[in-house]
């Protein structure tokens, strides 16, 4: 089969490899769609820890082709989405229920071979069924949506709240929709890209803001800004130093900041502890998707979360190295790899 392999930092190639054989608890899944994530680009550039050689791709869905002898709840022909984050269940963090902080965490597409291939192995406990009536691309959104669900849960958005979302990529667009579902009545999406600002307002944002048009702090959180005197909740989804530093300044006194974006390992920003202390701004970090992948699958399957508009283009496996090695094109939200495309 074909697989896109990270063989070394900066070395990403498509190769013919052996088709995997399922173990007793595994599903052999024919990949229908896999999403390119910003983390894949961080892995390519050596900005996120992993152990190459490995087949990347942690956002994927597909059709079960074969099952191991111990598999009971799945059968060939079913469509599944895979939760890539495999916790050991034994360490101190797992016993506390903090599976995302597992001391022995293994992730499909980072530590073990993932979905940028014709086939991928998925342990049965990591699989969630999706309807066969659903467009096959939709299942690839479950993993990023699950990460957003975890962050939204930490934010504790109340009905009538104001929310600022920094970053117009797929995480930002999904977070906009979840914030509205949680009851926020003012949701501001902040991005320089006009195409993304328009899309955000079409899928649920009440306002959007171009930080290149003027002082973002004043225009958003000033006395006459979009959320006067600051937002109840600010969610950083861009993973860049500028927005990480801006986030606390956009929160109201007593507000909450949730960091969802991933900055390159080793990068730093400056903060002002005096300001945080005297305004009692809470800063939370949200990592991965503990216990929520099934909820994400249900939201996608029901059509509650709109994902069709977030698909910017579809590519085949042969086009992956170029797509991962380069930044997203202007206005792109999500690029999907479809192994069936030639």
């Amino acid at each position: 089969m074909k697989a896109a392999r990270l063989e070394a930092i900066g070395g990403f190639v498509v190769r013919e490899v052996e088709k995997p054989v399922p173990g007793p608890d595994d599903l052999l899944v024919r990949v229908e769609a896999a999403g390119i994530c910003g983390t894949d680009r961080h892995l390519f550039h050596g900005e996120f820890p992993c152990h190459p050689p490995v087949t990347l791709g942690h956002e994927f869905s597909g059709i079960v082709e074969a099952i191991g002898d111990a598999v009971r709840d799945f059968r060939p022909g079913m469509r599944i989405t895979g939760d890539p984050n495999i916790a050991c269940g034994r360490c101190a963090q797992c016993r506390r229920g903090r599976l995302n902080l597992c001391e022995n965490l293994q992730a499909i597409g980072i530590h073990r071979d993932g979905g940028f291939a014709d086939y991928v192995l998925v342990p049965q406990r990591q699989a969630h069924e999706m309807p066969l009536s659903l467009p096959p691309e939709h299942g690839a959104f479950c993993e990023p949506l699950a990460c957003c669900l975890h962050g939204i849960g930490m934010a504790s958005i109340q009905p009538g709240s104001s929310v600022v979302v920094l970053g117009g990529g797929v995480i930002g667009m999904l977070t906009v929709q979840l914030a509205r579902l949680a009851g926020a009545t003012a949701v501001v999406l902040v991005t320089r890209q006009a195409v993304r600002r328009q899309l955000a307002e079409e899928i649920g944002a009440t306002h959007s803001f171009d930080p290149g048009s003027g002082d973002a702090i004043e225009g958003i959180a000033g006395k006459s800004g979009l959320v006067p005197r600051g937002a109840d909740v600010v969610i950083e989804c861009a993973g860049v130093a500028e927005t990480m530093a801006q986030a606390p300044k956009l929160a109201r006194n007593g507000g909450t900041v949730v960091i969802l974006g991933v900055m390159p390992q080793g990068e730093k920003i400056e903060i002002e502890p005096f300001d945080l202390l005297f305004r009692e701004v809470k800063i939370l970090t949200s990592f991965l998707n503990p216990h929520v992948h099934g909820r994400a699958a249900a939201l996608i399957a029901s059509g509650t979360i709109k994902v069709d508009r977030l698909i910017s283009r579809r590519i085949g496996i042969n086009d992956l190295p170029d797509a991962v090695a380069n930044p997203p094109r202007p206005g792109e939200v999500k690029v999907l790899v479809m192994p069936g495309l030639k």
Side-chain angles (χ1 to χ4, degrees), residues 275-287:
D275 176 67
L276 298 178
L277 173 67
F278 277 78
R279 294 198 301 117
E280 205 170 69
V281 173
K282 183 189 299 182
I283 298 181
L284 304 172
T285 59
S286 176
F287 182 56

Side-chain angles (χ1 to χ4, degrees), residues 96-173:
R96 295 185 183 106
R98 304 297 300 273
L99 302 185
N100 57 322
L101 303 181
C102 171
E103 296 168 11
N104 306 297
L105 189 70
Q106 293 279 303
I108 299 170
I110 296 177
H111 306 103
R112 57 171 73 185
D113 290 340
F116 288 166
D118 291 323
Y119 292 89
V120 62
L121 289 180
V122 181
Q124 63 175 327
R125 67 188 174 104
Q126 303 299 126
H128 298 266
E129 185 180 4
M130 300 292 285
L132 289 171
S133 59
L134 200 70
E137 298 96 326
H138 288 199
F141 284 88
C142 292
E143 194 277 341
L145 179 61
C147 292
C148 296
L149 276 171
H150 182 46
I152 285 284
M154 297 182 76
S156 300
I157 296 170
Q158 301 297 312
S161 294
S162 57
V163 177
V164 170
V165 179
L166 296 168
V170 69
I171 298 298
M173 295 297 178

Side-chain angles (χ1 to χ4, degrees), residues 170-225:
V170 69
I171 298 298
M173 295 297 178
L174 293 172
T175 297
V176 163
Q177 296 183 66
L178 290 176
R180 293 305 302 269
L181 281 176
T185 50
V187 177
V188 181
L189 187 284
V190 183
T191 180
R192 283 184 166 81
Q193 298 193 33
V195 172
R196 290 179 172 183
R197 293 197 302 273
Q198 179 179 340
L199 175 59
E201 293 190 17
E202 291 172 357
I203 64 173
T206 57
H207 304 86
S208 63
F209 186 85
D210 176 7
S213 66
D215 186 333
I217 308 303
E218 185 62 29
I220 297 170
K223 290 182 180 180
S224 58

